[in-house]
Amino acid sequence: SICASTMSNSSSTTSTPTTDASSPSSSKTSMTFPQSLSKYITPIVILFASSFLFRILIILLTSSYDSKTILKYTDVDYFVFNDAARFVYEDRNSSPYLRKTYRYTPLLAYLLVPNHFFGWDVFGKVVFCGVDLLIAWLVLSIGRMREMEIIADMPRRPSPHHFQKRRTMVPADGDENTHKEVFRTTTPHRIPLSSWLTVLSLTTLFNPIVFNISTRGNADQLVLALVLAALYMFHRRRYMTCALLYGLSVHFKIYPIIYAPVFYLAIADRKFNPSGRVYPAKSIWAKLRRTITLIGRGLLSAQLWMFTLVSAGVVLGLGALFYHLYGYECIYETYLYHLIRSDNRHNFSVYFYHIYLSVMAPKSFTALLMFVPQMMVLLLMALFMYRNILECILVQTMAFVAFNKVCTVQYFVWYIPLFSFLLLRSIEKMAQVEELNGDAAARDTSAEVKSAGHAVPLPQSEGKRLIFNVGTCIVIWFIAQALWLQSAYELEFLGRNTFLRVWVFGLFFFVSNIGIIMYVLLSKGRQRVTTKRKQE
């Protein structure tokens, strides 16, 4: 019995494992709650959270300021949105267009109904600030996807330019006293995440124009978010979802209809040129003939017909629904008014002074005539830039705002976040170097070259040159805007007659916008010529 008891005790002791404090399992179980969350606190989360909290702080401070002063920080359009939402909330059969000067889709009034449901007037501002963060996330996601596409399309031929040589000394034939020099290749290089976050901070997250527009309660960033969501689905090749989002963006505000040709051509190019190869055209007319051929081939594509029908169906379907609910007034205020609108108050438009001097003259035909140069420029950009849809939409939006007959500050948020895509220029230039130098390097038969196959990073000098050029354009843009604002302040607040000076500085601002557009259009050509000269 004693032996049996001792055996049972020994078996019980061996069956109960001892816990070691240094074992991984014990460390996992002993991990505290804050430590488990530490892996989710990344630089992206910190940057986005700080940006959102910064906007909330501005909203709270300016709400207190507005309650004590006559000159309000909140945009007058936000009061219009809020009143339209109140009409819809108090009576379901009521129309948001009972509020005078409400010239937007009824969906915007529905979006601000929680202002009255919760009794919190700044709810809409918080939503608009959240849209800013959504825009930044979409820009980052689209940029990273486009970056991978560029790397995937790089030539796969053996070339010393495909990799970065790194010299190391290793023992020769196992003898530690004798060393030989070898070359090793590095992994493919991408744009650092820190560069993306820096650019996003400058263009979206902490850009003073962007957060000023959202915290004042302007809703123009909603349209940009829908356009970027459509671009996100385009790069994921989900064209029907892209069509739905694009149609919804056109319904919200009619201006995204200018992107229809570039979406059509970009989808057609992906379908009929899946390899993404670029065949150099001998002349502009040759490239134009190629684009016209692509348009004709697209007419026979069921995929493009489906994209067109779905996007148009969303616009027409929502238009028909709200016409049934609110009548002709909805169609006129949402769409037709913006086609014949002529604002004689001072703004950045080059047409401002003409409209101001001819305020009593008939204006319907003149307002429509102002669209002619605008539409011609936009169409030419689509025909020649559809292969790079991101930069095409950037320059198209800038041109549309610059040539528009009414140009105000809130229109700038339509394209300021898109400047982040210029960061892709660095890796695109690297791809051009690969393409131009591939043939000459393929003749190199050394052992190091044959074992290579990776991408060389952009030299620091080229990256600094890119940042300097873009920074110069932005500085000129801000100087032109500051000069205009000074004259506008004297006109509106000091009562001085500075109409002519406002128009002259508006022309200077127009020229600065055109200069930025020309830089984006011509810099690729300069890069290609420079690379060829270096190769020679």
Side-chain angles (χ1 to χ4, degrees):
S1 62
I2 296 174
C3 293
S5 62
T6 53
M7 290 179 62
S8 62
N9 291 334
S10 62
S11 63
S12 62
T13 55
T14 55
S15 61
T16 57
T18 59
T19 58
D20 185 6
S22 62
S23 62
S25 59
S26 62
S27 63
K28 289 183 179 179
T29 56
S30 63
M31 182 180 295
T32 60
F33 180 70
Q35 289 176 344
S36 63
L37 291 179
S38 61
K39 61 181 180 179
Y40 299 106
I41 303 177
T42 61
I44 297 179
V45 174
I46 295 174
L47 188 64
F48 277 60
S50 59
S51 174
F52 186 71
L53 292 176
F54 176 69
R55 284 165 165 77
I56 296 299
L57 179 62
I58 293 178
I59 291 174
L60 296 177
L61 292 177
T62 54
S63 297
S64 176
Y65 171 81
D66 286 349
S67 62
K68 300 177 182 178
T69 59
I70 300 177
L71 183 62
K72 306 294 184 183
Y73 175 83
T74 302
D75 196 336
V76 66
D77 288 341
Y78 187 74
F79 296 112
V80 176
F81 305 154
N82 194 37
D83 292 342
R86 178 170 52 82
F87 284 120
V88 176
Y89 174 73
E90 293 177 351
D91 185 2
R92 294 183 179 180
N93 297 322
S94 181
S95 170
Y97 299 99
L98 293 177
R99 175 56 161 95
K100 298 297 182 183
T101 70
Y102 182 79
R103 299 186 175 97
Y104 311 91
T105 172
L107 293 178
L108 183 56
Y110 300 162
L111 184 64
L112 267 68
V113 165
N115 278 20
H116 306 280
F117 182 80
F118 296 110
W120 194 34
D121 289 341
V122 299
F123 174 83
K125 293 183 179 181
V126 176
V127 172
F128 299 154
C129 292
V131 172
D132 284 348
L133 270 65
L134 176 61
I135 289 173
W137 181 84
L138 287 170
V139 168
L140 178 62
S141 301
I142 295 169
R144 301 295 270 184
M145 284 192 292
R146 176 58 185 161
E147 184 182 344
M148 292 304 298
E149 289 178 359
I150 296 172
I151 293 176
D153 291 339
M154 284 186 180
R156 298 304 180 193
R157 294 169 294 186
S159 166
H161 303 279
H162 287 183
F163 67 99
Q164 181 184 14
K165 291 182 178 180
R166 186 177 61 195
R167 301 197 312 174
T168 56
M169 303 299 294
V170 299
D173 300 328
D175 186 2
E176 296 182 357
N177 297 323
T178 307
H179 291 75
K180 64 179 181 180
E181 187 179 49
V182 298
F183 294 92
R184 294 177 179 175
T185 60
T186 59
T187 56
H189 289 267
R190 297 179 61 184
I191 299 175
L193 180 61
S194 59
S195 299
W196 279 110
L197 296 181
T198 302
V199 172
L200 284 175
S201 299
L202 295 174
T203 59
T204 307
L205 295 176
F206 293 99
N207 186 283
I209 295 178
V210 174
F211 71 69
N212 175 262
I213 293 298
S214 59
T215 54
R216 293 187 66 200
N218 198 286
D220 280 88
Q221 62 270 37
L222 284 171
V223 187
L224 176 60
L226 290 171
V227 172
L228 286 172
L231 285 171
Y232 177 80
M233 290 301 170
F234 168 82
H235 281 86
R236 298 196 65 178
R237 301 181 185 272
R238 297 181 180 179
Y239 298 127
M240 294 304 102
T241 309
C242 174
L244 286 170
L245 292 168
Y246 175 64
L248 186 60
S249 69
V250 175
H251 169 76
F252 249 87
K253 214 173 188 70
I254 196 172
Y255 91 87
I257 201 171
I258 65 177
Y259 307 138
V262 69
F263 269 113
Y264 177 92
L265 290 169
I267 295 174
D269 183 64
R270 282 194 169 187
K271 179 176 179 59
F272 299 109
N273 186 22
S275 64
R277 293 189 62 185
V278 181
Y279 300 93
K282 296 181 179 179
S283 64
I284 295 179
W285 299 110
K287 190 171 184 178
L288 184 60
R289 284 196 299 269
R290 183 187 303 166
T291 304
I292 294 174
T293 303
L294 185 64
I295 294 173
R297 296 181 68 183
L299 295 176
L300 304 177
S301 171
Q303 189 179 52
L304 280 167
W305 275 106
M306 284 298 297
F307 181 89
T308 304
L309 292 175
V310 170
S311 57
V314 171
V315 178
L316 297 177
L318 290 174
L321 173 63
F322 292 127
Y323 176 79
H324 173 72
L325 293 176
Y326 305 118
Y328 173 76
E329 185 180 18
C330 171
I331 303 300
Y332 175 79
E333 297 289 355
T334 306
Y335 302 112
L336 301 181
Y337 169 80
H338 299 281
L339 297 177
I340 61 174
R341 175 188 179 187
S342 295
D343 194 348
N344 63 329
R345 300 187 65 184
H346 56 281
N347 57 82
F348 289 95
S349 175
V350 294
Y351 301 111
F352 146 70
Y353 202 52
H354 167 75
I355 295 174
Y356 170 73
L357 295 177
S358 59
V359 63
M360 302 304 296
K363 56 186 179 181
S364 298
F365 176 75
T366 306
L368 292 176
L369 191 63
M370 293 176 184
F371 282 110
V372 175
Q374 191 180 41
M375 293 299 108
M376 290 179 61
V377 171
L378 296 176
L379 182 60
L380 289 174
M381 288 178 176
L383 292 177
F384 290 100
M385 294 188 64
Y386 63 88
R387 293 192 61 87
N388 192 339
I389 188 173
L390 299 179
E391 288 192 4
C392 182
I393 286 182
L394 167 61
V395 296
Q396 276 191 319
T397 310
M398 286 197 67
F400 177 81
V401 174
F403 283 89
N404 203 29
K405 60 182 181 292
V406 178
C407 178
T408 55
V409 176
Q410 60 259 34
Y411 294 172
F412 301 158
V413 300
W414 296 351
Y415 61 80
I416 288 178
L418 301 179
F419 274 108
S420 301
F421 293 132
L422 290 180
L423 188 62
L424 292 167
R425 281 294 179 87
S426 59
I427 196 168
E428 286 176 354
K429 183 172 182 180
M430 181 174 64
Q432 289 177 358
V433 173
E434 303 292 340
E435 180 183 353
L436 290 172
N437 295 332
D439 292 333
R443 295 190 291 268
D444 193 340
T445 58
S446 61
E448 294 87 4
V449 172
K450 289 183 178 180
S451 62
H454 299 306
V456 61
L458 189 76
Q460 287 187 351
S461 60
E462 298 295 342
K464 292 180 179 179
R465 184 185 306 173
L466 174 70
I467 295 174
F468 175 78
N469 292 339
V470 175
T472 302
C473 294
I474 294 175
V475 168
I476 295 175
W477 187 81
F478 272 108
I479 291 175
Q481 187 177 163
L483 292 173
W484 185 94
L485 289 173
Q486 174 62 30
S487 301
Y489 172 80
E490 295 180 11
L491 173 64
E492 186 168 352
F493 292 95
L494 303 182
R496 299 174 183 173
N497 185 4
T498 59
F499 282 99
L500 182 59
R501 185 146 48 100
V502 167
W503 177 63
V504 170
F505 287 133
L507 293 178
F508 180 45
F509 183 72
F510 173 79
V511 172
S512 67
N513 280 274
I514 298 301
I516 296 175
I517 293 173
M518 295 303 296
Y519 166 74
V520 175
L521 293 177
L522 300 179
S523 57
K524 280 191 174 183
R526 289 199 300 269
Q527 288 177 3
R528 186 171 294 274
V529 170
T530 304
T531 309
K532 285 184 177 179
R533 288 176 180 173
K534 288 181 180 179
Q535 179 64 22
E536 291 173 357

